[in-house]
Amino acid sequence: MTLPGLGIAKGMALTFVRMLQRKPTIQYPEVTPEVSPRHRGRLVLLFDEAGALKCETCFQCAQACPIECIDMGGVDTRQRFHVHWGPAEQYAERREESAPRRAGRTVPDPAFEPFQRLDTRVLDPILHANGHDPAHLLDILAEAQDTFGYLPVAALKHISHRTGASYAMVYGAATFYGQLRMEQPGGHVVAICRCPSCAFRGAGQVTAALETALETHVGRPSPDGRVRLEAADCHGAAPSGIFLTVDGQPQAKVDPASAASLATRLRAAPVGAGAGAS
């Protein structure tokens, strides 16, 4: 037979005992913990004793960390841009040279290029105007892209720090939406809006014509690298037609035939030459 209130008494007794014990918490930074004499700060793992690459930058340990204290840097599997850990690196992806290296072949590592130094203070007015609110993340990313021309990793880190949103959320948004890009654009940029209003006026047919003429899909460059097709958002700026821009300049009277002709002219024109209005 269990006495009534025995569980409460045991719990209060444990609380009283723990209250008298020494607190294990270190009040950092007021109290600096001892640093191991073998501590070397940043860990850069390159090769093991057999000369094989031990860390493949698969981001699994950083992805599994519940408090996101593991910060990894590397290059994405398609060698497009430098990344920290994010949704683009999942369990099925690995660095392409890892399999040949495990098979005994000598595969040189690509030369490491440090991140470009950026003045992230230019983002502070954008963050202030949006109240540092993660709910306005897409607006913040769009304005940051307008500032730099693309979304560098340093800008994503700054936005994550100032808004309080996890870097995984910021990186995921930057890589999910087609109108956002994480690499510097080369050549001409053709952007078409696919909102419901523009889609009702035939933006889908125009997009298909552009993809056929450019031999690519939205979010990717043409095979020759001269033209990049991107998604855009008109924000109601095209009340009577389809919103399409070339290098930021809106085009008038857009239809599938004129869009295909425009794409053909852009691919044939020298890099740096304007396209003119369609």
Side-chain angles (χ1 to χ4, degrees):
M1 181 177 179
T2 303
L3 296 177
L6 181 59
I8 297 178
K10 289 183 178 180
M12 294 302 297
L14 179 61
T15 301
F16 182 75
V17 172
R18 296 295 187 187
M19 185 173 58
L20 299 178
Q21 292 180 352
R22 182 181 177 183
K23 305 298 187 296
T25 303
I26 299 176
Q27 300 298 327
Y28 183 86
E30 289 80 7
V31 179
T32 304
E34 294 185 8
V35 179
S36 170
R38 297 179 62 86
H39 179 73
R40 295 296 182 270
R42 183 182 180 186
L43 177 63
V44 179
L45 181 60
L46 297 178
F47 301 94
D48 61 9
E49 59 275 9
L53 188 67
K54 295 180 67 176
C55 178
E56 301 180 70
T57 321
C58 66
F59 298 88
Q60 293 186 27
C61 60
Q63 189 174 23
C65 180
I67 58 175
E68 298 184 353
C69 67
I70 301 178
D71 186 13
M72 300 185 65
V75 181
D76 75 319
T77 55
R78 296 175 182 82
Q79 301 295 323
R80 294 172 298 178
F81 40 76
H82 290 281
V83 294
H84 288 284
W85 89 272
E89 295 288 341
Q90 297 293 346
Y91 295 99
E93 296 187 27
R94 296 292 186 272
R95 292 182 61 179
E96 295 177 355
E97 70 270 15
S98 298
R101 180 178 284 112
R102 285 195 296 269
R105 295 175 55 187
T106 301
V107 182
D109 283 328
F112 173 75
E113 297 180 1
F115 292 105
Q116 178 184 2
R117 292 186 177 274
L118 297 175
D119 185 7
T120 56
R121 292 175 297 180
V122 299
L123 296 173
D124 291 338
I126 298 175
L127 293 166
H128 179 73
N130 289 276
H132 297 79
D133 189 352
H136 301 157
L137 182 58
L138 287 181
D139 293 333
I140 295 173
L141 291 175
E143 295 183 43
Q145 179 171 279
D146 293 339
T147 301
F148 294 109
Y150 71 113
L151 292 175
V153 172
L156 300 185
K157 281 288 187 179
H158 187 74
I159 293 172
S160 172
H161 176 71
R162 293 304 180 95
T163 61
S166 66
Y167 182 75
M169 177 187 296
V170 179
Y171 180 85
T175 54
F176 179 80
Y177 291 95
Q179 67 267 29
L180 302 176
R181 55 179 177 268
M182 293 188 63
E183 66 273 9
Q184 295 185 10
H188 298 287
V189 177
V190 177
I192 182 169
C193 178
R194 299 186 294 176
C195 71
S197 178
C198 291
F200 180 77
R201 300 186 182 97
Q205 297 177 354
V206 174
T207 302
L210 288 171
E211 290 179 340
T212 302
L214 296 175
E215 301 179 46
T216 186
H217 299 285
V218 175
R220 299 178 182 178
S222 59
D224 52 18
R226 290 179 174 271
V227 185
R228 181 180 178 86
L229 181 60
E230 294 185 351
D233 192 343
C234 67
H235 297 286
S240 59
I242 301 172
F243 184 74
L244 183 141
T245 63
V246 176
D247 298 332
Q249 299 298 322
Q251 304 296 301
K253 299 179 180 179
V254 178
D255 56 63
S258 64
S261 176
L262 173 64
T264 303
R265 293 202 310 272
L266 288 176
R267 295 189 67 178
V271 177
S278 61

